[in-house]
Amino acid sequence: MFFAAIFSVISVSFLLTDGCAQRSMDKFQRALNFVKEQTNIGCGLIALLTAGGEKIFSTNLFKCPCSQLNFAYGMIFLIVPALALLVMGYLLNQKTWKLMTGLCLQKSKLCQCKKLLARIIVFYQITATAAVAPFSWIAVALLDGSYFECAMTGINVTLFQKHLCGDGDTMDKCRQELHTFPCGGSSLSKVTDSVLANIRAESQIIGWVLIASIVLCNLALMCFARCHSPVSFHHLNFWQMYRKQESNLLESYSAQHAKELADRNVKSFFQQQPPDNMVTPPSKAWQNISSFYRFRPNEHFYSPMHEYVEHPDPRASIRSHGPCLDNPLVLGFVDQGVTGM
């Protein structure tokens, strides 16, 4: 995970200063695993790293041209990094690839409105996770005001320029020199300070409104999901613990089995002997455990793998390989898996 890698570089530099490298690395690894397992802490870490990245950009890379390019230059620094972070969020989310893998071979299912709507809901859940970093970038950039200030002084709209410059005697000169205000190159020093102060105030107001809107929407969705939870509080906590353990064990067992299978095949090749018998799950089994979870009130399965091992016959159990429209929102973590490609 890209953000975890940045976090590791920063943390290791502090942990290794006490001269106990091995012990510090063990502590760091435990801390990193804890952060990766906690969704809220992970999102907070992403937001913090994004805010730090924005500060570096605005301080060291951003230089307003103070020309007719002000608007394009400011908006590019405000929007393009946010779009890049959004795309990165999609790429690093395992649920994205769970949704996309084999999608083009399921054209008949995509034509069904219910299946299509269910996939749209899953895509919305992926987007909600991926949007943490871009919204953090935009919010911090608006609170800083540098990008917004540069962009607004480059808008060549008479009505907006009148809003900034007012109706005084210096209005015409203010409009002509507006694009030079961020660099302090205007002869209207008092007007420049007033205009820039207003732009920064508007930028910060928009930033705080954006933050408040995100927090309130997130709170509303969490309350809605919890209110419609089909299981109790402690049962839900147990379910989340089970899902984390299953995901970690699946990754560990897969790596070990792949190593043993590769070792068997390489030895068989070099020794020119028939390979030993080794059981590997068939393609249909992998497909079943890779399907989206489907909640059924009368069957208490905690994941597609749990359902498969209880009923290995797919004709009797796994009835849908796509997302289900009836799944409670509070159980969205079941299909989340480990972040990564």
Side-chain angles (χ1 to χ4, degrees):
M1 186 177 177
F2 174 75
F3 297 107
I6 297 176
F7 176 64
S8 65
V9 172
I10 297 173
S11 300
V12 167
S13 63
F14 288 100
L15 288 170
L16 296 182
T17 56
D18 61 355
C20 302
Q22 186 60 44
R23 187 169 56 189
S24 299
M25 284 303 298
D26 292 340
K27 293 179 181 178
F28 163 72
Q29 190 62 44
R30 289 196 296 268
L32 181 59
N33 291 336
F34 175 76
V35 169
K36 289 170 69 177
E37 290 178 357
Q38 304 297 321
T39 303
N40 293 333
I41 295 178
C43 290
L45 178 62
I46 291 173
L48 184 61
L49 291 173
T50 304
E54 191 282 330
K55 193 63 179 177
I56 294 173
F57 265 68
S58 62
T59 304
N60 300 319
L61 299 178
F62 181 76
K63 301 293 181 184
C64 188
C66 295
S67 65
Q68 300 302 324
L69 294 175
N70 280 17
F71 179 76
Y73 189 80
M75 293 307 294
I76 285 174
F77 268 82
L78 183 64
I79 302 299
V80 172
L83 292 177
L85 289 170
L86 180 63
V87 173
M88 190 181 297
Y90 283 128
L91 294 177
L92 294 176
N93 195 324
Q94 189 182 25
K95 203 170 182 178
T96 303
W97 306 112
K98 194 171 185 178
L99 179 67
M100 295 297 297
T101 302
L103 184 62
C104 295
L105 302 179
Q106 303 176 12
K107 296 179 181 179
S108 59
K109 293 182 179 180
L110 288 177
C111 295
Q112 301 175 14
C113 292
K114 190 173 182 179
K115 298 288 186 182
L116 181 60
L117 182 58
R119 291 187 180 275
I120 291 175
I121 292 176
V122 172
F123 182 74
Y124 166 76
Q125 294 173 347
I126 297 171
T127 302
T129 303
V132 172
F135 274 119
S136 299
W137 175 279
I138 293 175
V140 173
L142 289 172
L143 292 178
D144 179 69
S146 299
Y147 306 150
F148 190 81
E149 176 186 279
C150 182
M152 293 302 101
T153 54
I155 294 181
N156 192 20
V157 178
T158 303
L159 187 62
F160 185 76
Q161 289 180 341
K162 286 183 65 177
H163 163 68
L164 293 179
C165 295
D167 299 324
D169 298 335
T170 59
M171 182 186 68
D172 292 337
K173 192 172 183 179
C174 172
R175 290 173 54 187
Q176 293 173 1
E177 299 181 3
L178 186 61
H179 60 273
T180 66
F181 283 11
C183 298
S186 174
S187 58
L188 304 172
S189 57
K190 293 184 178 180
V191 175
T192 299
D193 294 340
S194 176
V195 169
L196 294 181
N198 288 336
I199 294 176
R200 283 184 177 268
E202 292 173 0
S203 176
Q204 291 171 351
I205 289 172
I206 296 173
W208 282 117
V209 169
L210 178 63
I211 292 173
S213 301
I214 294 172
V215 170
L216 291 176
C217 288
N218 186 47
L219 177 62
L221 286 174
M222 289 178 62
C223 291
F224 178 83
R226 289 282 178 161
C227 286
H228 291 81
S229 174
V231 296
S232 65
F233 174 77
H234 289 292
H235 191 181
L236 185 62
N237 286 344
F238 170 79
W239 202 327
Q240 291 173 332
M241 293 175 190
Y242 167 83
R243 191 65 185 94
K244 291 174 186 176
Q245 292 297 326
E246 183 192 86
S247 180
N248 293 336
L249 288 172
L250 177 61
E251 186 176 358
S252 175
Y253 271 77
S254 297
Q256 181 65 27
H257 189 80
K259 181 181 178 180
E260 293 174 357
L261 181 61
D263 182 68
R264 185 205 70 161
N265 293 339
V266 171
K267 283 183 179 179
S268 177
F269 172 77
F270 280 100
Q271 295 174 1
Q272 291 297 296
Q273 295 179 355
D276 299 331
N277 290 331
M278 192 170 181
V279 179
T280 299
S283 178
K284 191 66 177 178
W286 288 107
Q287 185 178 3
N288 284 335
I289 69 168
S290 298
S291 63
F292 280 90
Y293 175 76
R294 183 173 184 176
F295 176 75
R296 302 183 184 96
N298 298 326
E299 299 177 354
H300 300 289
F301 300 118
Y302 294 116
S303 69
M305 178 178 287
H306 185 196
E307 183 174 4
Y308 175 77
V309 298
E310 294 284 352
H311 301 292
D313 184 4
R315 292 172 297 178
S317 60
I318 309 294
R319 286 170 283 187
S320 173
H321 292 289
C324 180
L325 188 61
D326 300 327
N327 279 355
L329 290 176
V330 75
L331 299 180
F333 66 88
V334 178
D335 290 316
Q336 191 62 41
V338 181
T339 302
M341 287 184 63

